[in-house]
Amino acid sequence: MASHSDTLVVFFGATAGANGGKLGSDEREIILLVWQIVDLHEKKVGKLHKCFVKPDTLELTDQCKEETGLTLEDIVDAEPLDKVLEQIQQSVSSEVKRLGRSSYTLLVNGPHVIRQALHPEASKKNLVLPECFFSFVDLRKEFLKCCPNASSVPKLTLSSMLDYVGLPAESEQMIGVREANSMVQLTLCILDEPYNHKFYCAETVNSKFDSGTCSKTEPVDSETVIRARGLPWQSSDQDIARFFKGLNIAKGGVALCLNAQGRRNGEALVRFINAEHRDLALERHKHHMGSRYIEVYKATGEEFLKIAGGTSNEVAQFLSKENQVIIRMRGLPFTATTQEVLSFLGPESPVTDGAEGLLFVKYPDGRPTGDAFVLFSCEEYAQNALKKHKQILGKRYIELFRSTAAEVQQVLNRYMSTPLISTLPPSPIVPLPVLSTPPFLPTASSTRDCVRLRGLPYTAGIEDILEFMGEHTVDIKTHGVHMVLNQQSRPSGDAFIQMKSPDKAFLVAQKCHKKTMKDRYVEVFQCSTEEMSIVLMGGTLNRSGLSPPPCKLPCLSPPTAYAAFPTSPAILSEAALYQPPLLAAPRGPQTAVHSPAHALAYYPPQPHLYMNMNMNYTAYYPSPPVSPSTVGYFAAPPGAMAAAVAAQAHPVAAPAHPAAAAASSILPQPGALVRMQGLPYNTGVKDILSFFQGYQPELGGVR
């Protein structure tokens, strides 16, 4: 549509709900459209047309009835929206042609009827709007160009603009006709002396959303960004752009937010071209995407850049091809090659530029994460690829999702910006005896006065456990309930409870074994405090007995090192020994306070939560693994750290392992370095520290 037209078409609409400045804010359908032609050259006015529209839901709000004076009888026999829009286009085109003009542009009093009512409703009903509805002129903005002092008017309405230029208010009472006549009067007024206004610039409505990249150095105005919450997890940037249909989103302005596991969390940050479009977007708060309502809030440019901004040349080159459909693959085998992925996708979904259209996500050291992004040149190829969702590659099923350029940036940023080894705060290590177990646990012993609960619902809390224990809760020791978390900081389904005596623990195991908690039966086993401490520090406990924390590399000291040190008062702070996320909520030793009102205390105000680093997570989180967007390496078990600290006070005898012998010749010198080669690719910090048990690596000295 030309920006400078021969003809203006005065256009007005009303909905079955709110109208005026709130038009479209309640998602009500259009029930009335009015239009009239104004010849800009001859300054003549054509015939006024009024047409009712039949909505899908035949219902008018009380507000609509009061403001418009319309009833259901007026619209029950009307044509649906698509038929009415077709009639408008044909009528306007024929009338413009009859006048000998070549082009026309819609003239509206505010953008709401086009941006907030017509385009959103057409999008929901999958209607293809004629081209003429993708550009318009806002009478209020044109009026301010002619009368800049009118900006002092508190609320620029048709009546206030007529009063400002000295024109009488329209006496017509019929809805639509009154507004159209007022707009025509104002248009003719600013076309004439002394204004001689020219309608040059028309606003446009983007027909599609353009994906793209965003640099971290790019300035982003906070007045243009919103946060959408409650999105379906499978929604893409195109779905979000469709939700905001009628408003112009900046190129690459949709950034889907990910959680700590690299999965979409139902939120997105959206950047619009200006503050006006952002404000209109805020009016769509709790509008619906399918059956879900979406919350819309203000956000900042800093938040948007944190999610969507990137500096990677590899990503920029990957996303340099425009108009591409991006698909994310998750759960790939770590050994998967480019050719294997291309073969998996098959000839019916060819990747853009072959291997160049495939981007593997890797850790900073080059190890694969199991994620990849793929480019397709058209929607058809992308749909064919999505049909392979959860099909097998190697021995793993692969998940495929629609993705966005911002998500590519976000995933790559999170993986590449996270250090391989967590940085521990500096803490002096002194060669004095330390506690080998947390101070709130008892001294490890073989007395079987504890029970282990296995198979707890993941939503179970302390209160649920106490209810499950029933009458036996009176036999629980103070602060004796210990919940165990897995590597993702989620409940593992396990808990340990310290009882007052072995007899009480035996009775609980007999009475509560396989009782039901929230539709799940829970297994209860009797165990010792030593076994409990081993498991909480990373070991395993099964029916065949105790398995100390596993070590994939040769151990230089026996597993008993976990409980080999005396329980004298701790010199090191607990935070230094148990760095997050090893303990999710570490607490210092507490003195029991006896109060008549609180005779029992089963657990502290914040229950003890443990990360069991060596559990068999397959039973809880089956393949493929979640795709964490942060790299989480756990500190070594406290036993290993204690062994290292005590090494100066208790030198270890000549090591039997050759590698240990080589290391022993170097480690005694403070600050000396040892380079290890040939490590398994999945070796963690705890494996390396376990390898050097009996020696004293510097705190944070593993790189």
Side-chain angles (χ1 to χ4, degrees), residues 160-176:
S160 65
M161 288 188 287
L162 288 171
D163 182 67
Y164 187 86
V165 295
L167 294 176
E170 180 62 38
S171 59
E172 176 63 50
Q173 297 299 315
M174 186 174 295
I175 183 69

Side-chain angles (χ1 to χ4, degrees), residues 323-599:
N323 301 321
Q324 299 290 312
V325 183
I326 306 175
I327 298 295
R328 181 179 180 182
M329 302 180 71
R330 190 165 61 196
L332 291 168
F334 294 151
T335 58
T337 65
T338 301
Q339 190 56 47
E340 288 174 339
V341 174
L342 295 177
S343 300
F344 171 79
L345 295 171
E348 63 276 9
S349 48
V351 178
T352 302
D353 295 337
E356 294 184 5
L358 179 62
L359 178 65
F360 287 100
V361 182
K362 298 180 180 180
Y363 291 112
D365 61 355
R367 291 182 298 113
T369 64
D371 282 31
F373 293 94
V374 190
L375 296 178
F376 296 98
S377 59
C378 65
E379 185 66 29
E380 179 185 357
Y381 294 159
Q383 288 290 348
N384 292 337
L386 291 173
K387 293 177 182 178
K388 297 183 179 294
H389 180 59
K390 291 197 174 181
Q391 290 191 15
I392 302 298
L393 173 59
K395 295 183 179 180
R396 304 180 67 91
Y397 71 81
I398 311 302
E399 297 175 292
L400 290 95
F401 308 98
R402 289 182 175 274
S403 187
T404 68
E407 185 175 18
V408 177
Q409 294 275 27
Q410 187 180 357
V411 172
L412 267 293
N413 286 346
R414 288 196 176 187
Y415 276 112
M416 298 305 294
S417 63
T418 307
L420 281 175
I421 302 172
S422 58
T423 303
L424 302 178
S427 177
I429 295 184
V430 291
L432 293 175
V434 297
L435 288 176
S436 61
T437 56
F440 44 75
L441 290 181
T443 304
S445 70
S446 59
T447 305
R448 299 175 62 80
D449 57 352
C450 300
V451 291
R452 179 190 184 186
L453 275 59
R454 186 169 67 185
L456 294 169
Y458 296 140
T459 57
I462 299 293
E463 293 77 8
D464 300 310
I465 293 177
L466 296 180
E467 183 180 354
F468 174 82
M469 298 283 288
E471 61 185 12
H472 303 289
T473 54
V474 296
D475 299 320
I476 301 176
K477 286 185 177 180
T478 302
H479 305 163
V481 180
H482 308 278
M483 305 288 290
V484 183
L485 304 184
N486 63 16
Q487 284 180 327
Q488 285 78 37
S489 302
R490 298 174 179 172
S492 66
D494 282 31
F496 285 91
I497 301 177
Q498 297 171 249
M499 308 301 294
K500 291 182 178 179
S501 68
D503 293 338
K504 301 296 184 183
F506 176 80
L507 185 61
V508 169
Q510 293 294 316
K511 297 287 187 180
C512 297
H513 185 56
K514 292 197 174 181
K515 274 182 59 177
T516 301
M517 180 189 296
K518 296 184 179 180
D519 300 327
R520 295 190 61 169
Y521 75 83
V522 178
E523 298 175 288
V524 183
F525 306 105
Q526 186 179 8
C527 64
S528 66
T529 54
E530 178 185 13
E531 292 170 332
M532 178 181 68
S533 299
I534 291 291
V535 174
L536 293 180
M537 292 302 104
T540 58
L541 179 64
N542 50 44
R543 295 184 181 181
S544 61
L546 174 66
S547 299
C551 179
K552 299 175 184 177
L553 299 176
C555 240
L556 302 183
S557 56
T560 53
Y562 281 87
F565 299 95
T567 57
S568 56
I571 302 300
L572 293 181
S573 66
E574 181 185 343
L577 282 178
Y578 305 100
Q579 292 292 340
L582 183 61
L583 291 183
R587 294 175 57 84
Q590 300 184 13
T591 304
V593 179
H594 299 282
S595 170
H598 300 85

Side-chain angles (χ1 to χ4, degrees), residues 123-162:
S123 177
K124 291 179 180 178
K125 296 181 177 180
N126 294 318
L127 304 181
V128 179
L129 290 176
E131 184 184 357
C132 62
F133 294 104
F134 285 87
S135 65
F136 63 91
V137 175
D138 188 343
L139 177 60
R140 290 184 298 183
K141 294 180 181 178
E142 300 298 321
F143 184 81
L144 287 174
K145 293 178 183 178
C146 300
C147 309
N149 293 332
S151 58
S152 60
V153 178
K155 190 175 181 181
L156 206 60
T157 63
L158 288 174
S159 58
S160 65
M161 288 188 287
L162 288 171

Side-chain angles (χ1 to χ4, degrees), residues 5-72:
S5 303
D6 303 312
T7 313
L8 290 178
V9 179
V10 172
F11 190 74
F12 173 84
T15 69
N19 288 287
K22 293 295 183 180
L23 187 72
S25 62
D26 54 2
E27 296 184 278
R28 294 286 182 168
E29 297 172 85
I30 295 174
I31 58 172
L32 174 67
L33 291 175
V34 180
W35 69 97
Q36 189 173 14
I37 288 181
V38 177
D39 188 338
L40 295 179
H41 291 290
E42 299 294 333
K43 299 179 183 178
K44 294 181 179 179
V45 180
K47 179 183 177 181
L48 186 141
H49 301 266
K50 179 179 178 181
C51 192
F52 292 110
V53 182
K54 183 178 181 179
D56 292 343
T57 303
L58 286 172
E59 181 183 0
L60 302 180
T61 65
D62 294 337
Q63 180 184 3
C64 172
K65 294 177 182 178
E66 181 180 350
E67 292 178 351
T68 65
L70 299 178
T71 63
L72 288 177

